[in-house]
Amino acid sequence: ISNLFGKYSTLIDDFVTVLPKVDLPLNVSKTFTNKIYRTVSTNKKINLYRGFGEPNAYLDGGYATTIKDATREKLAILDEWGNSLRFEALIEVPEKQILNIGKVEKQISSDGLQILNGGGDQVLVPRGWNYSNWVKSIKDKKTNIIYTFEEFEKAFPKLITK
């Protein structure tokens, strides 16, 4: 694994080409450590993972990671955001897709009582990404059942999109 980007390196650096950086809105760029991220194009298919769950996090959300079973701490997903992380989608991103990658920034809850350090790989997938084709499976961490996209859509239709 390449270490070209030092502490901002990700597990997919060797499988992407760095492009001119896309300016992301502040509310998005500040979720990357020190607001440092790279805009990249995938050179081959890559696997990502997205943790989501009731009441407020949906399959089609924009944030993913390179790390299977990433912890709430590594992803800095605050309880107040309403993501149970009950489900984990395996996402196969096709070649020649534009992503923004970096490390997860530390997050502090609005009451200051929950502090999550982050540090995991963060991948922002394109708005409107093709979840019905890219999602290869979805694991229910509560029951350990693994669903295809179609099975999940039938079982949990309200968790696909807002």
Side-chain angles (χ1 to χ4, degrees), residues 39-123:
T39 301
V40 301
S41 175
T42 54
N43 297 334
K44 61 179 239 166
K45 289 180 184 176
I46 58 166
N47 287 339
L48 299 177
Y49 302 90
R50 174 167 168 70
F52 66 100
E54 53 279 292
N56 296 326
Y58 302 86
L59 172 64
D60 73 339
Y63 294 97
T65 186
T66 60
I67 305 152
K68 185 179 193 310
D69 297 320
T71 63
R72 183 175 294 280
E73 171 78 17
K74 279 284 188 197
L75 299 176
I77 297 175
L78 296 169
D79 293 339
E80 67 190 39
W81 294 342
N83 182 349
S84 66
L85 294 175
R86 175 178 167 183
F87 301 98
E88 184 176 67
L90 167 59
I91 302 166
E92 186 180 83
V93 180
E95 187 178 353
K96 294 185 171 51
Q97 297 300 312
I98 307 300
L99 307 172
N100 288 284
I101 65 174
K103 293 293 192 181
V104 176
E105 179 62 282
K106 174 182 186 174
Q107 297 291 332
I108 302 171
S109 62
S110 50
D111 64 9
L113 297 177
Q114 187 181 26
I115 300 169
L116 301 175
N117 288 316
D121 289 356
Q122 177 163 286
V123 180

